[in-house]
């Protein structure tokens, strides 16, 4: 029988691997792959990846005069080394995240994105195969808008929890957004004490609303559901543009023959209840007010930035110790 993973792919959803552990990626034959500081930190501690650390350390020593310059250079090179290895396995694109501490710095985000793309090009990877991951803050969305428009750098807007964030991203013309399904569920379970499954899951409902809005209003930005807690959430979103899925859940889908019928499509979106068009991308006060009014989105965005920044700092600490050894 056809596996649930193959059935998911047959619904038209592009399957993406959410992992920095590229030794596991090829098993599931994903189109693309996503990484983040937390995933890379977990992978960097494995002996199998010591050679990538060595390349990054040598690069840091060559490029930096002070220890902090060396750490920054080594960190960027490590991101690119992981990306390069992943791109040797997958046919599509890899997402590489800018430093979360730049989430409120438009110009800093743009400079880091351009530097990462230049690093990729220096090791023979064309920019068309890279998505730069940027947090879906006001500053991040504006940075992505300019990178896409002026530099042809494709962006993945991550840590997306609220409808206003999604609207602004589409208006900004970003390539792809990553609404975090499981983290939305986490917030509602904690705040209400309830459990949610399938179509009742607030994370699933959020992605469906965004998907329908994009299709109804002709936006080309790709909707890529992320951060899943169970395969029920994945099945409930079958047919969405992309889904980025952790290896443990990819394995569960591969070992299952349960049916995965298509739940989302452009045709169904067109027939769904109309969602009125709104605008945020040129109105910072309205964007910030909408985010503030959505307590879940406000909480999870800032919590996510903080966690990614902490894991980024831990990764830098590992590299700093090696540089000083």
């Amino acid at each position: 029988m056809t596996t649930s993973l193959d059935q998911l792919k047959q619904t038209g959803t592009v399957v993406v691997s959410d992992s920095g552990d590229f030794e596991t990626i090829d098993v599931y034959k994903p189109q693309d792959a996503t990484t983040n500081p937390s995933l890379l930190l977990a992978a960097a501690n494995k002996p199998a990846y010591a050679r990538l650390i060595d390349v990054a350390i040598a690069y840091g020593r060559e490029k930096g005069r002070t220890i902090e310059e060396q750490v920054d250079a080594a960190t960027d090179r490590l991101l690119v080394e992981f990306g390069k290895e992943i791109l040797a396995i997958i046919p599509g694109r890899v997402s590489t995240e800018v430093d979360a501490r730049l989430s409120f710095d438009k110009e800093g985000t743009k400079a880091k994105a351009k530097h990462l793309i230049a690093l990729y090009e220096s090791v023979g990877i064309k920019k068309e195969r890279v998505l730069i991951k940027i947090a879906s803050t006001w500053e991040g969305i504006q940075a992505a808008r300019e990178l896409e428009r002026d530099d042809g750098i494709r962006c993945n807007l991550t840590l997306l929890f609220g409808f206003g964030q999604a609207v602004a991203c589409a208006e900004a013309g970003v390539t792809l957004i990553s609404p975090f399904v499981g983290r939305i569920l986490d917030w509602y379970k904690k705040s209400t004490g309830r459990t949610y499954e399938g179509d009742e899951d607030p994370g699933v409902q959020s992605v469906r609303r965004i998907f329908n809005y994009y299709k109804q209003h002709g936006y080309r930005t790709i909707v890529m559901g992320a951060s899943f807690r169970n395969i029920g959430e994945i099945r409930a979103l079958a047919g969405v543009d992309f889904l980025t899925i952790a290896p443990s859940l990819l394995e569960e889908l591969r070992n299952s023959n349960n049916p995965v019928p298509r739940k989302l499509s452009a045709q169904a979106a067109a027939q769904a209840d109309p969602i009125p068009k709104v605008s945020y991308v040129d109105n910072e006060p309205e964007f910030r007010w909408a985010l503030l009014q959505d307590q879940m989105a406000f909480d999870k965005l800032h919590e996510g930035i903080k966690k990614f920044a902490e894991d980024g700092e831990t990764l830098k600490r590992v590299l700093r110790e090696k540089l000083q050894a």
Side-chain angles (χ1 to χ4, degrees), residues 211-229:
F211 179 86
N212 286 349
Y213 182 84
Y214 279 17
K215 301 311 176 195
Q216 287 179 10
H217 295 290
Y219 290 115
R220 297 175 66 183
T221 296
I222 294 164
V223 179
M224 181 173 75
S227 165
F228 294 102
R229 297 294 177 256

Side-chain angles (χ1 to χ4, degrees), residues 54-255:
D54 291 343
V55 170
I57 294 299
Y59 181 83
R61 286 183 173 140
E62 176 193 344
K63 295 295 181 181
R65 290 169 296 179
T66 66
I67 185 64
E68 291 311 313
E69 286 180 357
Q70 290 179 8
V71 169
D72 285 344
T75 302
D76 290 344
R77 182 59 186 262
L78 186 62
L79 296 176
V80 169
E81 286 298 314
F82 268 98
K84 183 180 76 168
E85 293 284 343
I86 290 168
L87 287 170
I89 298 167
I90 62 170
R93 299 183 288 205
V94 69
S95 289
T96 296
E97 193 147 347
V98 302
D99 189 336
R101 293 178 308 168
L102 297 172
S103 296
F104 306 105
D105 181 349
K106 184 186 85 168
E107 294 304 325
T109 294
K110 287 171 59 181
K112 180 64 76 176
K114 292 175 186 179
H115 177 61
L116 289 170
I117 290 296
L119 268 180
Y120 268 111
E121 290 179 336
S122 76
V123 296
I125 304 295
K126 294 182 178 179
K127 68 180 180 182
E128 288 76 17
R129 296 201 68 196
V130 181
L131 290 172
I132 297 296
K133 277 180 85 174
I134 300 169
S136 300
T137 58
W138 172 260
E139 295 82 1
I141 294 167
Q142 297 302 324
R145 184 187 200 179
E146 294 177 17
L147 288 166
E148 296 261 10
R149 182 189 67 206
D150 302 336
D151 303 288
I153 293 175
R154 304 290 173 242
C155 299
N156 169 356
L157 272 289
T158 189
L159 294 173
L160 193 146
F161 301 97
F163 185 71
Q165 291 173 290
V167 169
C169 286
E171 291 182 289
V174 307
T175 296
L176 181 148
I177 62 165
S178 297
F180 276 36
V181 180
R183 295 196 197 184
I184 294 174
L185 172 65
D186 294 344
W187 190 92
Y188 278 97
K189 284 174 68 175
K190 185 177 179 180
S191 65
T192 68
R194 287 181 53 195
T195 56
Y196 302 84
E197 292 185 8
D199 293 343
E200 296 299 311
D201 185 312
V204 169
Q205 293 176 351
S206 175
V207 173
R208 284 187 171 180
R209 183 184 181 203
I210 293 166
F211 179 86
N212 286 349
Y213 182 84
Y214 279 17
K215 301 311 176 195
Q216 287 179 10
H217 295 290
Y219 290 115
R220 297 175 66 183
T221 296
I222 294 164
V223 179
M224 181 173 75
S227 165
F228 294 102
R229 297 294 177 256
N230 54 69
I231 59 173
E233 291 180 319
I234 294 167
R235 282 202 296 261
L237 290 171
V240 75
D241 301 326
F242 284 37
L243 293 174
T244 184
I245 306 171
S248 60
L249 293 175
L250 286 170
E251 184 67 12
E252 203 174 328
L253 288 165
R254 193 170 71 126
N255 291 330

Side-chain angles (χ1 to χ4, degrees), residues 224-293:
M224 181 173 75
S227 165
F228 294 102
R229 297 294 177 256
N230 54 69
I231 59 173
E233 291 180 319
I234 294 167
R235 282 202 296 261
L237 290 171
V240 75
D241 301 326
F242 284 37
L243 293 174
T244 184
I245 306 171
S248 60
L249 293 175
L250 286 170
E251 184 67 12
E252 203 174 328
L253 288 165
R254 193 170 71 126
N255 291 330
S256 169
N257 299 118
N258 289 334
V260 184
R262 184 167 192 171
K263 294 293 188 77
L264 282 79
S265 69
Q267 294 81 2
Q271 295 165 7
D273 291 340
I275 306 172
K277 192 168 187 178
V278 290
S279 180
Y280 292 105
V281 76
D282 291 317
N283 193 332
E284 182 178 353
E286 276 300 309
F287 174 87
R288 293 194 184 281
W289 185 250
L291 184 59
L292 186 65
Q293 293 293 98

Side-chain angles (χ1 to χ4, degrees), residues 6 36 43 125 227 310 314:
D6 286 335
N36 63 46
I125 304 295
S227 165
E310 288 169 354
T314 303

